Amino acid sequence: MTKKVFMNTMGCQMNVYDSTRMLDALAALGWTETQTPEEADLLMVNTCYIREKAADKVFSCLGRFQEIKQARARKGQDTLIAVAGCVVQALGDAVLKKAHSVDIAVGPQSYHKLPELVTRFNRKTGRKTVAEFTSVEKFDTLAPPVSHGCTAFLAIQEGCDNFCSYCVVPYTRGCEYSRSAQAVLDEARALADTGAKEIMLLGQNVDCWHGAGPDGKPWHLARLIERLAEIDGLQRIRYTTSYPVDITDDMIAAHRDIPKLMPYIHLPIQSGSDAVLKAMNRRYNVSQYLAVVDKLRTARPDIAVSSDFIVGFPGETDADFEQTLAVVDQVRYAQSYSFKYSPRPGTPASLMKNQVPEAVKAERLCVLQTKLLALQKAYNLRFVGQTLPVLLTEHGKEKGQLNGYSPYLQNVHVCLPENRLGDIVDLHITGATASSLSAEPASLSSKRN
Ligand code: 5AD
Ligand code: SF4
């Protein structure tokens, strides 16, 4: 009988990619994925440590896993529990000490060891944590992935050497590492051959990618994207996340010259105050950031810009926060993610004396999110009446409805038969909210006019 695995993925897109690779590796050994934890022989959670809330969620999930494991044991069924991801890297063996039902813990650089750990697991020899920094192996020892839909993630770079003072990533994902151009091109081809129309290149600092080219010399991201654009079947290329001042002129030109490179950039500013940016150890000030946005908009006037924000960083005053609001008004972001500052163990900012009270953080977050949502709605409303090419990626919530993405990464709903999934279809935009667009087939609306 085939064994079943249930995977709960928390956190960022890199974790989604990692979970897919782990599931693919287990599938090669005969494991099938289930969405029902009660029927799983292996319960897995891929964890995130970026904010305190994310780390807390892991232990409540493990509590639920423990109950399932006990209920299955009463029926004579054995269950393995495995924890993967950044919490393991950060806490090490403490995960096993804190959550007694966990059998295996693997750090984000060691997941290529998971199949062996699962296969060889033996209740007598005991529970195990593997959390070494061995990224080279991790990426390239697993079989090439298959695409599980028409859009796929592809990690090209991992780790970070920036050490922003609030961030755990350099400690959990290690130092910056780039995969070779050939490895990326091969993986992209494998994804395209198995149905991917769009790939999202992933890296904590994706613009720093400098993998070895087939000629042995380091390539930069723009050259890699140029080559990826030559792959038949791949229609859309995206990348994330960009560190604002690491974007090269070549990348800006790529946005102008490569039609398959989508007009969207995630460009986290974090704060609109130079003083806060300095305390955060970000390597730019507001005017340098705005200059990058200007250059991008000059090269590609319709480019959609999104950002991350942290409110209530230690020492952030009302005046600093006002400056963040002013930048938001100036840039007019198409989409954004905003968070209350969360002190993380081992980071310099967590030791700063001037922590901002929780109530102030909550209030600032509310003000910022209200503004960001209003701008996002205004951005989306501009598209009503226009026609956009939409990649139809999944079934919608309503019956007969499909969901997809515009070039600007707006979520679009339309009523179309399900055999259109995976197609890029011209849609006439009929309505907009802050979070999505509604549409009808452009052929239908042109018949009506
Ligand atoms: N507190 C709040 N937000 C954080 N981020 C990273 N670390 C923290 C933290 N300690 C946010 C940043 C980053 C995004 C992925 O998460 O905005 O860009
Ligand atoms: Fe964290 Fe800063 Fe690196 Fe982004 S650039 S992963 S925020 S340390």
Side-chain angles (χ1 to χ4, degrees):
M1 214 173 69
T2 58
K3 297 253 185 188
K4 291 188 175 156
V5 48
F6 171 84
M7 176 76 80
N8 180 1
T9 304
M10 300 174 168
C12 64
Q13 291 155 321
M14 189 72 90
N15 265 13
V16 175
Y17 173 81
D18 286 351
S19 288
T20 313
R21 297 292 311 256
M22 286 189 273
L23 288 168
D24 284 349
L26 290 168
L29 298 174
W31 289 79
T32 54
E33 191 185 1
T34 173
Q35 305 301 330
T36 313
E38 290 76 12
E39 63 175 33
D41 307 283
L42 169 61
L43 291 165
M44 282 201 71
V45 55
N46 193 3
T47 62
C48 173
Y49 198 60
I50 197 100
R51 283 169 290 275
E52 196 178 350
K53 241 198 216 158
D56 290 348
K57 257 175 48 187
V58 173
F59 289 98
S60 61
C61 168
L62 288 174
R64 202 165 59 93
F65 279 4
Q66 181 173 7
E67 283 166 20
I68 296 171
K69 183 173 180 166
Q70 286 164 348
R72 283 172 53 89
R74 288 194 286 275
K75 291 192 263 170
Q77 294 166 323
D78 192 31
T79 314
L80 272 184
I81 296 185
V83 186
C86 291
V87 168
V88 176
Q89 199 64 50
L91 303 185
D93 265 342
V95 175
L96 297 192
K97 289 203 183 95
K98 194 166 165 192
H100 296 284
S101 57
V102 173
D103 299 299
I104 295 166
V106 273
Q109 315 298 338
S110 308
Y111 71 70
H112 55 295
K113 301 254 172 82
L114 182 77
E116 188 193 328
L117 286 169
V118 169
T119 312
R120 296 254 174 101
F121 184 79
N122 182 327
R123 295 244 170 259
K124 284 199 197 104
T125 47
R127 307 153 75 208
K128 207 174 170 99
T129 304
V130 182
E132 301 142 7
F133 279 122
T134 50
S135 9
V136 181
E137 270 183 76
K138 164 194 163 171
F139 279 123
D140 299 322
T141 57
L142 294 172
V146 290
S147 184
H148 295 274
C150 58
T151 109
F153 291 132
L154 199 176
I156 64 169
Q157 178 275 323
E158 192 174 353
C160 182
D161 296 340
N162 279 323
F163 291 92
C164 299
S165 61
Y166 50 81
C167 185
V168 287
V169 166
Y171 312 97
T172 58
R173 293 272 174 178
C175 55
E176 198 203 303
Y177 165 78
S178 295
R179 294 178 71 189
S180 73
Q182 200 56 57
V184 174
L185 291 165
D186 289 347
E187 189 164 324
R189 231 169 258 126
L191 290 168
D193 288 347
T194 50
K197 297 266 173 68
E198 173 181 88
I199 49 168
M200 169 77 96
L201 305 175
L202 299 179
Q204 264 87 34
N205 255 308
V206 75
D207 295 271
C208 285
W209 179 85
H210 58 278
D215 50 5
K217 297 196 183 113
W219 281 19
H220 48 65
L221 184 62
R223 185 153 183 208
L224 180 71
I225 290 177
E226 228 171 74
R227 290 292 298 276
L228 288 167
E230 289 167 7
I231 295 178
D232 278 344
L234 273 189
Q235 306 289 324
R236 292 180 163 194
I237 301 168
R238 301 181 183 277
Y239 64 103
T240 199
T241 290
S242 295
Y243 191 91
V245 285
D246 289 343
I247 295 171
T248 59
D249 287 346
D250 284 348
M251 264 318 289
I252 293 174
H255 272 289
R256 183 193 61 211
D257 300 334
I258 304 178
K260 287 186 184 178
L261 182 59
M262 290 293 101
Y264 182 97
I265 187 156
H266 186 56
L267 207 58
I269 188 170
Q270 311 295 1
S271 165
S273 151
D274 285 345
V276 173
L277 289 173
K278 191 151 191 258
M280 286 177 164
N281 197 30
R282 301 286 284 179
R283 290 181 281 108
Y284 55 87
N285 58 32
V286 172
S287 66
Q288 287 167 321
Y289 177 92
L290 293 174
V292 174
V293 173
D294 270 355
K295 270 187 174 181
L296 281 159
R297 286 185 168 155
T298 304
R300 180 80 208 221
D302 63 338
I303 196 162
V305 182
S306 70
S307 180
D308 292 340
F309 297 90
I310 296 177
V311 298
F313 185 81
E316 185 189 66
T317 62
D318 284 340
D320 291 320
F321 178 62
E322 290 296 326
Q323 288 172 15
T324 298
L325 297 177
V327 168
V328 167
D329 276 328
Q330 200 171 337
V331 178
R332 303 187 71 80
Y333 291 99
Q335 270 183 45
S336 292
Y337 305 87
S338 42
F339 314 97
K340 286 188 282 186
Y341 166 69
S342 169
R344 305 308 293 131
T347 58
S350 69
L351 303 174
M352 292 176 182
K353 295 276 172 281
N354 42 3
Q355 300 288 325
V356 172
E358 200 50 38
V360 176
K361 288 189 209 172
E363 174 161 1
R364 287 183 187 160
L365 187 66
C366 181
V367 172
L368 177 63
Q369 289 187 336
T370 305
K371 184 182 265 305
L372 290 169
L373 268 182
L375 280 172
Q376 201 166 307
K377 184 167 181 188
Y379 179 80
N380 285 345
L381 276 168
R382 291 195 342 225
F383 291 86
V384 174
Q386 291 188 28
T387 297
L388 290 176
V390 174
L391 173 60
L392 297 169
T393 53
E394 65 208 344
H395 290 279
K397 275 203 196 111
E398 320 260 314
K399 206 166 168 255
Q401 198 182 52
L402 300 181
N403 283 353
Y405 289 90
S406 76
Y408 312 103
L409 211 58
Q410 294 147 302
N411 189 215
V412 187
H413 315 297
V414 64
C415 283
L416 273 174
E418 67 175 352
N419 63 5
R420 302 307 304 270
L421 276 176
D423 289 351
I424 296 176
V425 180
D426 277 341
L427 297 180
H428 179 75
I429 307 303
T430 53
T433 66
S435 57
S436 66
L437 301 176
S438 42
E440 55 182 30
S443 53
L444 212 117
S445 56
S446 60
K447 264 181 222 143
R448 263 199 221 137
N449 293 338

